Amino acid sequence: MDELLARENAAHNYVLGALKSPDLPVRDVLAAFDAYRVLCQAVVFANFPVAHEKEAQLWDVHTQGKQFFSRRLRELRKPTSGDKLVVQERDHVHLYKKFLRASVAFYRDHIFKLSVAFDIPELEAVAQLVGPKNSNEPAHTAQQVDDGSRKLVIVSCHQSLVYLGDLSRYRASEKLDPTPDFGPAIGYYDLASTVYPESGMGQHQQAVVALEMRDHLRTIYHLYRAICVQEPHPLAAKNLAIEFTRVDTAWKTGTLIKQSKPGDPDHLKDISIGWYVRLQSLAQQGETSEGFDELQNTVVSQLSGLLKRRSLAPALHRMVVVNVAGQHTAIQNYTVKQTSKGEQAFYSSLRINLAMYSTLLEIFQDELIALAKHSELVALDLQDRITPITKRVLPALRLYSSWLLESVHLLFGLADDPKFAESIKKFWKIYGRTLDLVATTFPIWDLEEAAEVEYQLEEDVD
C-alpha cells in the first residue's frame, strides 16, 4: 500500500508540473493524466475510507487541466489572432475535447467499478445508465456493505456524476462543438440528485447551466432546491441573492422578459414568467413597493388566463416550488436575523402563496361546477371526469396541499391580522367550496374502487 501511495503521489506531482511546463507537448500532458487517474483509482479501491480525499484531489487536478486548455483556447480566439491561427485553434479544440472525453470515460468507468465492487442495487441501476457498454471487468461477488460504508460509496457515485456534469458543461460552455449542447450536463446533474437527494450539489450545478442559458426561473428554482435539502450547497444562498440582483438589473434594462414576437405561441407565457420572476425578486429582497400588489394581481391573472388555454408545464411546477421554498427560506432567514426586510420577505411570500393557491383552486372549481351541472358527465369513469384544464392544475394543487399542511398554523395565527384577514378569509371560502365540489364530482365510493398508482407522478419526478 505504501508503494502504491508513493507512486500515486509522484503521478499527482508530475501532472501538476506538466500543466506548468509550456514546452511539454499537450499529448504528454494527456498521458500524464491517464497514468494519474489509474493510480488514484487504485488507491481509492485499496483503501475506500480515503476515497473522498483522493477523489477531491483528483478532481482539483482535472479543474486545473480545464483551466490549462481554456486559457490557451481564449488566446487563440482573440480577435487580434488573425486567420493564421485558425488551424492552431482547431488542433487545440481537438486536444481539449480529447481531454474531456478521456475524463468522462474515466468517471463513467469509475461508477461502473463501484457497482461491481459493492452490492448496492441503486448503484447498479446508475451503472447501467452511464457505465461502459462492453466492459472487461472480471466478474466477482460484490462486497456487502454496512450503512456507513454504503453512504461513502453512494457519495462517491454522486460526486462522480456531478463531475461528469461539469465536464459536459465545459464542453458546451467553451463552444467546442458547432452546436453547444447542455443536455448531457443536465442529465448527469439530475441523476446525481436522484442518487443522493440529501445533497444540493446537483441542483446547484443545474442552476449554473440555467444561468448560462439565461433562464432566470430555472436558475432560481434550482438554487432553492440546492438550499432546501439536508446538505445545502454552501454557495447556493449567496448565489440566490446574486441572482435576484441580476433580475433587478435585467428588469431595469428591459432584458428580463425573453424577447419573442407577438405571434409566437410562447409570447404571453414569456411575459408572464418575466413578471413572475420580478415579483419573486421583490418579495425575497423584502422590498416594499407600492406596485407590488398590482404586479402580484397581474401575474396571477395572466397565469389564470394562460392555464385555461394551454399547459404551462414545467414552468407552473417550478413557480409553485419557488413560492413554497421562498416562504420556507424567508421564515428561516427571519428567525436567524430578525430584520424588517426579512419580516417583509415572509409576508410577501405568504401573500404570493395565498394568491396563487386561491387562483388555482378557482380554476379547478370552475371545471368541477361545469361537471356538476351535467349528471351524465358525473356518471363517466373517473379518468374521463378529468378535463384538460384540470390536468394542468392538479399537480400544482397537490404540491400546495403539502404547503397547506405546513402553513395552516400561520393562516390561523394571521386570520385577524389586517394585512392578511381578507385574503385568508377568501382562501378558506374558495377552499371549502372546492372540497364540496370534489366530494360531489368524485364521490368517496368511486375512489374506493380506484386502483392504487404504483408509479411516480410528474410532480414527484422533477
Side-chain angles (χ1 to χ4, degrees), residues 104-113 115-116 123-135 161 164 188 191:
V104 166
F106 168 78
Y107 282 109
R108 288 169 67 106
D109 181 69
H110 182 68
I111 292 172
F112 178 75
K113 282 184 167 65
S115 73
V116 172
L123 195 61
E124 183 179 351
V126 175
Q128 290 178 353
L129 291 173
V130 305
K133 301 300 180 183
N134 300 307
S135 174
L161 288 166
L164 283 165
Y188 284 126
L191 192 54

Side-chain angles (χ1 to χ4, degrees), residues 145-194:
V145 293
D146 57 26
D147 289 343
S149 298
R150 182 183 183 281
K151 182 174 181 180
L152 287 176
V153 177
I154 291 294
V155 168
S156 177
C157 175
H158 165 263
Q159 198 64 63
S160 295
L161 288 166
V162 173
Y163 294 156
L164 283 165
D166 286 347
L167 291 164
S168 301
R169 176 168 57 85
Y170 298 157
R171 182 164 179 161
S173 298
E174 298 277 24
K175 297 180 174 60
L176 302 183
D177 300 298
T179 305
D181 182 10
F182 285 100
I186 294 172
Y188 284 126
Y189 292 144
D190 193 49
L191 192 54
S193 297
T194 301

Side-chain angles (χ1 to χ4, degrees), residues 22 66 70 319:
K66 182 263 181 184
S70 184
M319 288 179 184

Side-chain angles (χ1 to χ4, degrees), residues 116-373:
V116 172
F118 302 100
D119 184 17
I120 302 176
E122 56 264 50
L123 195 61
E124 183 179 351
V126 175
Q128 290 178 353
L129 291 173
V130 305
K133 301 300 180 183
N134 300 307
S135 174
N136 296 321
E137 190 72 19
H140 65 274
T141 303
Q143 175 184 336
Q144 299 292 320
V145 293
D146 57 26
D147 289 343
S149 298
R150 182 183 183 281
K151 182 174 181 180
L152 287 176
V153 177
I154 291 294
V155 168
S156 177
C157 175
H158 165 263
Q159 198 64 63
S160 295
L161 288 166
V162 173
Y163 294 156
L164 283 165
D166 286 347
L167 291 164
S168 301
R169 176 168 57 85
Y170 298 157
R171 182 164 179 161
S173 298
E174 298 277 24
K175 297 180 174 60
L176 302 183
D177 300 298
T179 305
D181 182 10
F182 285 100
I186 294 172
Y188 284 126
Y189 292 144
D190 193 49
L191 192 54
S193 297
T194 301
V195 168
Y196 191 49
E198 294 87 349
S199 170
M201 181 69 75
Q203 294 295 335
H204 181 272
Q205 298 308 95
Q206 287 212 56
V208 174
V209 172
L211 183 60
E212 289 200 44
M213 299 175 72
R214 300 180 181 179
D215 189 327
H216 292 287
L217 176 58
R218 278 181 53 209
T219 301
I220 294 168
Y221 166 76
H222 286 298
L223 285 173
Y224 268 126
R225 291 196 59 181
I227 293 171
C228 300
V229 287
Q230 292 179 26
E231 300 175 17
H233 190 284
L235 298 177
K238 177 183 177 182
N239 287 336
L240 181 61
I242 293 173
E243 171 60 13
F244 283 136
T245 302
R246 289 195 193 97
V247 169
D248 289 346
T249 302
W251 178 264
K252 292 172 184 175
T253 57
T255 58
L256 179 61
I257 297 174
K258 182 180 177 182
Q259 297 300 311
S260 56
K261 296 180 180 179
D264 190 316
D266 288 334
H267 180 65
L268 292 178
K269 176 185 173 183
D270 293 337
I271 293 174
S272 297
I273 290 175
W275 285 346
Y276 169 80
V277 169
R278 170 62 173 167
L279 180 68
Q280 274 295 334
S281 175
L282 291 173
Q284 297 309 318
Q285 294 180 88
E287 298 293 340
T288 53
S289 169
E290 292 184 0
F292 183 88
D293 289 341
E294 181 181 354
L295 179 60
Q296 176 184 287
N297 292 336
T298 299
V299 168
V300 295
S301 175
Q302 285 284 351
L303 290 176
S304 176
L306 285 169
L307 282 167
K308 292 174 183 178
R309 297 194 296 272
R310 56 167 296 176
S311 170
L312 292 182
L316 179 62
H317 169 83
R318 290 170 181 154
M319 288 179 184
V320 174
V321 171
V322 167
N323 290 346
V324 174
Q327 179 183 313
H328 173 77
T329 305
I331 291 173
Q332 287 190 323
N333 291 341
Y334 180 67
T335 302
V336 174
K337 299 179 181 178
Q338 295 194 351
T339 63
S340 58
K341 283 198 171 186
E343 183 180 35
Q344 184 60 42
F346 160 63
Y347 287 154
S348 296
S349 60
L350 179 58
R351 259 204 240 42
I352 291 172
N353 277 313
L354 281 169
M356 183 81 84
Y357 197 2
S358 297
T359 298
L360 292 171
L361 285 170
E362 286 178 322
I363 295 171
F364 185 33
Q365 191 178 112
D366 288 344
E367 296 301 294
L368 294 174
I369 290 172
L371 281 172
K373 288 180 178 178

Side-chain angles (χ1 to χ4, degrees), residues 69-82 85-86 88-90 92-94 96-97 170-178 180:
F69 284 99
S70 184
R71 186 165 50 248
R72 177 58 176 157
L73 184 62
R74 285 197 302 272
E75 293 173 357
L76 293 170
R77 284 178 171 174
K78 285 181 180 178
T80 56
S81 298
L85 295 182
V86 170
Q88 292 183 38
E89 179 189 341
R90 185 170 63 242
H92 185 73
V93 166
H94 172 74
Y96 194 171
K97 288 165 69 173
Y170 298 157
R171 182 164 179 161
S173 298
E174 298 277 24
K175 297 180 174 60
L176 302 183
D177 300 298

